[in-house]
Amino acid sequence: MPRYARAEREALADLMLEVGPDAPTINEGWTARDLAAHLVVRERRPDAAGGILLPPLHGYAERVRLRVAARPWSELVDQVRRPPVWSPVSNPLTDELANTMEFFIHHEDVRRARPGWHPRDVPAGLAARLWKPVSLLTRTRARRFPAHLLVQAPGHGELTAGRGGDRVRLVGPPGELVLFLSGRQRVARVQLDGPPALTERLRTAALGL
């Protein structure tokens, strides 16, 4: 079975070493060092990882992340590359499920912050794997969108969300849809059709966590 999570992790670690700790990312205000620290906390600090999603714990999680970010760059990237086998999100049983989308997104966070970037060829198996979480992202991130939103990935399927009314169509490969629906609309290569005011609202909506 292809290990897409491992491949995206390795590619991200290699790219981080290439661009250096101060390289920008798509995440506003975050450098490659900030992103690496986020990933290390997510996998190695379960006491703080909850703060990534839970606002009451965010302050503690951020303090831990900043301490982790102060580690030597090569050490930090090595910890991204080699997660602990005991981690709830990175052990052999959970790695593909928990990390394929996570590391695809963060790999693109670094790739697409560089001048002259262009979408890469995504293997068919990885595209199929990324289509699966598009359903969850569509339901959770676009459920309150004030239109009938049709999300289509040619060759993979289609989904609907929103509150109904005028129709807006969002079309793209699964990887681009994942990026769009995770709040990276400005770098996602998708097609949007519908009333201009609604398509612009979707392009600028706060879809990320």
Side-chain angles (χ1 to χ4, degrees):
M1 178 182 295
R3 298 181 63 192
Y4 296 113
R6 167 54 61 182
E8 291 298 307
R9 181 191 297 275
E10 291 283 355
L12 173 58
D14 289 345
L15 182 57
M16 283 179 162
L17 289 179
E18 177 185 341
V19 301
D22 298 323
T25 73
I26 293 305
N27 308 91
E28 186 174 354
W30 270 20
T31 64
R33 181 183 291 279
D34 292 308
L35 178 55
H38 159 78
L39 292 170
V40 170
V41 169
R42 175 180 174 269
E43 295 184 320
R44 294 172 179 267
R45 290 295 304 267
D47 61 312
I52 297 172
L53 298 175
L54 302 174
L57 301 177
H58 179 73
Y60 173 67
E62 183 63 5
R63 290 192 296 273
V64 172
R65 190 189 68 81
L66 290 174
R67 289 198 298 271
V68 170
R71 295 173 183 171
W73 180 234
S74 59
E75 175 186 330
L76 198 56
V77 175
D78 189 64
Q79 290 183 330
V80 171
R81 190 188 300 275
R82 296 179 174 84
V85 295
W86 52 260
S87 173
V89 296
S90 304
N91 64 69
L93 295 178
T94 62
D95 189 41
E96 282 297 301
L97 180 63
N99 289 321
T100 299
M101 182 180 73
E102 178 83 8
F103 277 86
F104 172 83
I105 288 173
H106 290 316
H107 184 194
E108 295 300 320
D109 283 342
V110 180
R111 285 189 72 254
R112 300 189 184 207
R114 306 180 73 191
W117 72 269
H118 55 82
R120 58 189 165 112
D121 293 330
V122 174
L126 176 55
R129 190 72 57 82
L130 291 171
W131 171 243
K132 295 178 181 179
V134 170
S135 176
L136 177 62
L137 290 173
T138 300
R139 293 197 309 270
T140 57
R141 309 294 172 85
R143 67 185 185 279
R144 297 180 180 177
F145 187 65
H148 176 81
L149 177 63
L150 178 63
V151 179
Q152 296 177 316
H156 296 275
E158 64 180 42
L159 305 159
T160 59
R163 293 180 172 176
D166 291 334
R167 190 172 98 153
V168 173
R169 193 166 69 110
L170 171 63
V171 185
E176 301 300 321
L177 293 174
V178 161
L179 292 170
F180 189 97
L181 293 166
S182 63
R184 292 150 174 90
Q185 296 101 306
R186 67 185 178 91
V187 298
R189 295 297 185 255
V190 298
Q191 175 186 341
L192 263 179
D193 300 316
L198 286 171
T199 58
E200 180 61 20
R201 181 166 179 170
L202 188 59
R203 282 194 184 277
T204 57
L207 298 177
L209 292 176

